[in-house]
Amino acid sequence: MLHISRTSRKRSFLWIPFVASLVIHFGFLTVSAELIPDEREQYKTIRVTIQERPKPPEPKPEVKQPEPKPKPKPKPKPKPKPKIKPPPKPNKVEPPPPEPPTEPPKEVFGVTKDSVSTGDSGVSVRVGNTLNKEMEKEYTDPNAVKTLPPAKKRIRPVPVYELSRVPSFKDRAIPKYPDEARRNEIEGVVELEVLISKTGKVLKVRILKKLGYGLDEAAVAAVRGSSFKPGLKGNTPVPVKLRIPYRFVLED
């Protein structure tokens, strides 16, 4: 005998809503497929070919020509080395021995040999080389007598009282006052005797009156640094010996 329980009856109605849901969904899909047009029919595929423009050729880079190298400066010519003279060859020839100093001839009283005549005159004279001395006691062989050298001409100044014009300064040098005389406050007169030639040149200076402290030398240097107009005897220039005073005075 078959028994049906209540639980089995409740489970037999569960498949009805499931079937109904399937039917509704199937119908909705069918209706929507008919109403919605196919999108593939509305849009057609168009092929478009895009051609790229050729790129313009890139400009070639300018090739810079290398700058010409500057010409090198010419090297200075080396200076020629001075020629060095070779040292002189040693003199192998020995110099002659120095001559012994000659003694001046001795003065012998008597006349010169040239002034004595040969012959029998009966007068005997001594032969010598000068008469400006006393006769020697001993006799000298005439062959041993030597001739004296000619004496220097002495300048004989003309006395001032014979002059028609006394020498005068042409260009006078001023003496310098020595420092030593300044420090010691030395004043006074230095008197000189000056021999002046016939051309106006100072030949000889002699100090007659001295002061010292360098004043004498200053006066001599001043007179030697001066030039003179020569003295005249008539119209002829002559040598004159003249006294010239130099007065030294300190300035305040």
Side-chain angles (χ1 to χ4, degrees):
M1 192 173 155
L2 179 64
H3 294 280
I4 298 171
S5 64
R6 289 183 182 181
T7 59
S8 61
R9 285 183 183 179
K10 287 182 183 181
R11 290 181 181 175
S12 64
F13 293 104
L14 291 175
W15 58 275
I16 295 173
F18 179 74
V19 174
S21 174
L22 288 175
V23 172
I24 292 169
H25 280 85
F26 180 75
F28 176 76
L29 290 174
T30 303
V31 174
S32 61
E34 292 179 357
L35 295 175
I36 298 172
D38 192 359
E39 292 180 358
R40 288 179 296 180
E41 293 181 359
Q42 292 182 0
Y43 300 99
K44 293 182 179 180
T45 302
I46 300 174
R47 293 182 180 180
V48 178
T49 303
I50 299 174
Q51 296 182 353
E52 294 181 357
R53 289 184 181 181
K55 293 181 180 180
E58 294 180 359
K60 293 181 180 181
E62 293 182 359
V63 179
K64 291 184 180 180
Q65 295 183 354
E67 295 180 358
K69 294 181 179 180
K71 292 182 180 180
K73 293 182 181 180
K75 293 182 179 179
K77 293 182 179 180
K79 292 182 181 180
K81 294 181 179 179
K83 293 182 179 180
I84 301 173
K85 293 183 180 181
K89 293 181 180 180
N91 190 7
K92 294 182 180 180
V93 180
E94 294 183 0
E99 295 181 358
T102 56
E103 295 182 0
K106 183 181 179 181
E107 292 183 354
V108 178
F109 177 81
V111 297
T112 58
K113 191 175 181 179
D114 298 337
S115 61
V116 177
S117 59
T118 57
D120 296 333
S121 60
V123 179
S124 62
V125 294
R126 282 201 173 190
V127 176
N129 51 23
T130 181
L131 298 175
N132 296 328
K133 63 170 295 186
E134 295 181 357
M135 185 175 60
E136 298 91 358
K137 293 181 179 181
E138 66 274 5
Y139 175 77
T140 304
D141 186 2
N143 295 325
V145 177
K146 295 181 181 179
T147 306
L148 295 176
K152 293 182 180 179
K153 291 183 179 181
R154 292 184 178 182
I155 299 175
R156 293 184 179 180
V158 177
V160 176
Y161 61 85
E162 294 182 8
L163 299 175
S164 59
R165 188 184 77 180
V166 179
S168 60
F169 282 102
K170 183 179 179 181
D171 185 10
R172 185 171 187 173
I174 299 173
K176 295 181 180 179
Y177 218 111
D179 294 337
E180 186 181 2
R182 285 182 183 276
R183 287 193 300 269
N184 292 277
E185 299 181 355
I186 304 299
E187 296 180 341
V189 177
V190 176
E191 191 172 353
L192 305 177
E193 184 183 67
V194 184
L195 178 61
I196 301 170
S197 70
K198 60 183 179 180
T199 60
K201 184 180 179 182
V202 176
L203 298 178
K204 191 176 180 180
V205 181
R206 186 165 69 95
I207 302 173
L208 300 178
K209 184 180 179 181
K210 299 181 179 182
L211 281 178
Y213 296 93
L215 295 171
D216 307 332
E217 291 79 3
V220 173
V223 77
R224 287 193 177 276
S226 304
S227 60
F228 293 83
K229 294 178 182 179
L232 297 178
K233 185 178 182 180
N235 294 325
T236 305
V238 290
V240 179
K241 189 177 286 186
L242 198 66
R243 289 190 176 189
I244 301 177
Y246 278 90
R247 183 176 297 278
F248 292 88
V249 178
L250 289 170
E251 296 178 357
D252 295 336

